């Protein structure tokens, strides 16, 4: 299902246009390079459509949104839609403020999104199933996250990918769980944003967003496990260094032997 | 005086809302996580009040300010004030341009600030005692920094914390000096900003800003010493990695045996 | 030709004002410190002239430009021009969108630029000699890059410095090639931006932009080679750490024995 995707990604080097937050933008660029794709960040209203049309995937991340930035996201998203370029939405902090919830919904209403990637609170809140978020961190999830994710997937015709101890990926019909990952990933900022960049990188070479997201979650979580096991890892910053290195050093073999996917 | 504060911080995980500069924002988020708190960055006028009200501390850092960002800071600051949430001001580059000096003063006039954290030039200049700044680096301090800090503390009813070879912390009555720290901390950008995030993290669990700032300065400086002594440290970047790791790995025991506080 | 320049830089610690992109701004600040200069980032219209006048060099980098930011660049550039402070332009992504090409040309028309530093696609496109860029990465260069660089140098009376496997530096009369560097430098984002910061740091102490750029390219590439050879380097992130450390640890002796310059 995900076999060969990393190889394809590294051959095609898809260009991933990001309109994203200022906190983790450098990490998003570096993780995109590490997985094998090509990042570009551009947010000016005057250029986002042109940049989106030149890309193979578009990431919209509302982590430090402004009204004008959301306008740019919608322009870029529509341009991407017009050419069938996949759009990945990371609704960072949806539920934490009205602006974030409304902006995520506005994007979903106006842009055809291929993959919505969020934590359990963000997805639960967008699905209308509840959840509680503190800043941008999930504190409490909806009772049944699988149901919430599937409902959101149906509503927008999108793949919904929920990061957590056990990740959930669904297009409303197919459901997969990914058990890869490590608690050290929660000690650094931006792992959620970076994961969205990796999802977008795979979407740039794989039309089936379900498979693309699955590959991304496995790669990302597996790299986290490998990095946590490295002797150099003595805290969050050395973990982060090892994590980027492990993403760069992933191979089909490592993925094949390390992936922890269960299907429902 | 500072005993048990790190433990309390890690239990309560205060949410620290930052309105900050684009240069060091990622480091500020990561240092907030490393010390044990929870960072969130939000600067849109439409959401800053809501985010500030949900937080346990608010950092205002003018490192790459714009007029609109200062407006957002004041909105957020007033919202924090209305709920008694501590506000920490980092007047980055005050004195370097008129905009920075005026903006720092405007914030201090309109928002009740708990802790003003700056380098000696910034504090001396805000206190009207002179000093010279080059970019954002202190080049020359006021003649008597303790007097300058105390006067500024009195004027605004705030704790004033001055970073330097010997740090000064005062609320105008109490004065403490912290000797922790290492010259390697000056080889990377953003240590000042990060320190403000750590001060805010402690303010999120300790109402007495004097104690909170003291704990933060000790922890920060001590982690710098420990990082500089690590065999992996071969320059500024490996020092930085070790520094974040050491902040994450701080314990009450390390603080107790490593703190270098003198009182006047 | 470049002997003694690093020593001079570290003695004088020139202040380098950056108006730059949000992706690599932290790296630019840290690399400026690592080479021995002092970075400051300021982009508000109200303060850029004052900050530029206080600096010894000004970097204009359009990596995540907006119309307002370009306005600020022109204000700052003119202020720098009025005092003879060197201006370094990094036309990131020129050719990728009309906004980027037009903005680079607008800056070149309104500001006297000392050094234009770009990759081969950016320089070829600005010279009107063709080239193809994907996001911000050069995909195809003009047929004769030396000619393109020299023509651009003549047109604007600037030094043109082209990064690539073999770097080209020319003021239209003198031409030098630098062979220092390592492919690992392409695995992290921002090496182009960082190189511009290093060029600006040298311009802050050396009026001849040709020599300043030459010194910067040699130092930067040499540090990349040394970092790639380090046993700790296991991927892009550990390479990056080693790279910053090696820049910090450069000496005149290392430069003298490691420089790979050829002249035409």
């Amino acid at each position: 299902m995900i076999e060969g995707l990393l190889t394809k990604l590294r051959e095609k080097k898809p260009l991933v246009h990001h309109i994203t937050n200022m906190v983790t933008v450098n990490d998003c660029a570096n993780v995109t390079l590490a997985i094998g794709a090509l990042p570009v960040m551009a947010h000016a209203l005057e250029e986002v459509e042109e940049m989106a049309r030149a890309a193979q995937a578009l990431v919209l991340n509302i982590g430090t949104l402004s009204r004008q930035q959301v306008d740019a996201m919608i322009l870029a998203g529509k341009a991407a839609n017009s050419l069938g370029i996949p759009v990945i939405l990371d609704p960072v902090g949806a539920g934490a403020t009205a602006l974030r919830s409304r902006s995520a919904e506005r994007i979903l209403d106006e842009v055809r999104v291929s993959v919505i990637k969020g934590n359990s609170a963000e997805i639960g809140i967008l699905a209308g199933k509840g959840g509680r978020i503190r800043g941008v961190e999930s504190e409490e999830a909806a009772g049944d996250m699988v149901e919430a994710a599937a409902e959101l997937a149906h509503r927008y015709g999108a793949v919904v990918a929920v990061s957590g101890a056990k990740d959930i990926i669904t297009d409303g019909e197919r459901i997969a769980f990914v058990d890869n990952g490590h608690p050290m990933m929660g000690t650094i900022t931006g792992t959620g944003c970076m994961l969205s960049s990796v999802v977008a990188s795979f979407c740039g070479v794989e039309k089936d967003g379900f498979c693309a997201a699955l590959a991304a979650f496995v790669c990302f979580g597996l790299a986290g496990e490998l990095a946590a096991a490295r002797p150099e890892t003595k805290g969050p910053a050395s973990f982060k260094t090892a994590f980027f290195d492990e993403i760069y050093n992933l191979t089909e073999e490592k993925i094949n032997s390390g992936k922890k996917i269960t299907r429902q």
Side-chain angles (χ1 to χ4, degrees), chain A:
Chain A
M1 178 147 232
I2 64 171
E3 244 186 272
L5 283 187
L6 182 65
T7 306
K8 201 172 165 189
L9 193 169
R10 289 178 174 171
E11 277 165 16
K12 298 214 171 174
K13 276 189 90 169
L15 180 65
V16 182
H17 176 197
H18 292 69
I19 304 182
T20 190
N21 70 73
M22 68 175 199
V23 186
T24 63
V25 59
N26 183 265
D27 291 332
C28 289
N30 274 321
V31 85
T32 303
L33 284 171
I35 195 70
L38 203 56
V40 71
M41 278 61 184
H43 56 252
L45 287 168
E46 296 92 344
E47 71 167 350
V48 287
E49 293 166 288
E50 192 178 355
M51 197 63 96
R53 281 193 294 260
Q56 280 73 54
L58 171 65
V59 177
L60 306 179
N61 174 313
I62 63 167
T64 53
L65 80 176
S66 65
R67 192 165 290 184
Q68 198 190 25
Q69 199 199 32
V70 174
D71 290 342
M73 289 182 184
I74 287 171
L75 276 181
K78 287 182 174 173
N81 281 171
S82 73
L83 294 181
I85 296 161
V87 179
I88 291 77
L89 173 65
D90 192 334
V92 182
T97 66
L99 177 69
R100 289 175 188 243
S101 304
R102 276 202 322 264
S103 298
E105 283 161 2
R106 194 182 146 212
I107 293 166
L108 286 167
D109 285 341
E110 300 195 33
V111 176
R112 205 164 54 251
V113 168
S114 298
V115 182
I116 307 170
K117 202 284 307 161
N119 62 33
S120 53
E122 290 156 356
I123 297 299
I125 287 162
L126 285 179
K129 297 287 183 188
R132 204 172 56 220
I133 195 159
R134 211 163 146 243
V136 297
E137 191 168 281
S138 176
E139 276 230 318
E140 194 186 301
D144 187 336
M145 274 312 300
V146 173
E147 198 184 291
E151 192 162 313
L152 196 63
H154 274 295
R155 192 184 310 159
Y156 293 108
V159 171
V160 172
V162 191
S163 59
K166 190 189 271 289
D167 307 310
I168 305 166
I169 295 159
T170 182
D171 60 1
E173 307 303 322
R174 293 172 290 176
I175 300 173
F177 302 96
V178 177
D179 257 329
N180 293 103
H182 193 278
M184 281 306 290
M185 297 166 81
T187 65
I188 55 171
T189 196
T191 39
C193 304
M194 294 182 225
L195 177 49
S196 292
S197 296
V198 176
V199 170
S201 299
F202 278 102
C203 285
V205 295
E206 169 56 55
K207 281 192 171 187
D208 184 342
F210 181 78
C211 295
L214 196 54
F217 273 68
V218 166
C219 286
F220 201 72
L222 179 57
E225 294 170 30
L226 295 169
R230 287 248 296 254
E232 309 89 288
T233 296
K234 288 165 182 155
S238 49
F239 168 76
K240 185 176 172 182
T241 300
F243 182 46
F244 276 94
D245 283 359
E246 291 292 352
I247 291 174
Y248 179 81
N249 290 318
L250 281 175
T251 59
E252 294 286 347
E253 293 66 39
K254 288 183 191 176
I255 296 169
N256 216 26
S257 66
K259 65 174 191 277
K260 300 177 191 156
I261 303 174
T262 51
R263 302 289 296 273
Q264 203 175 41

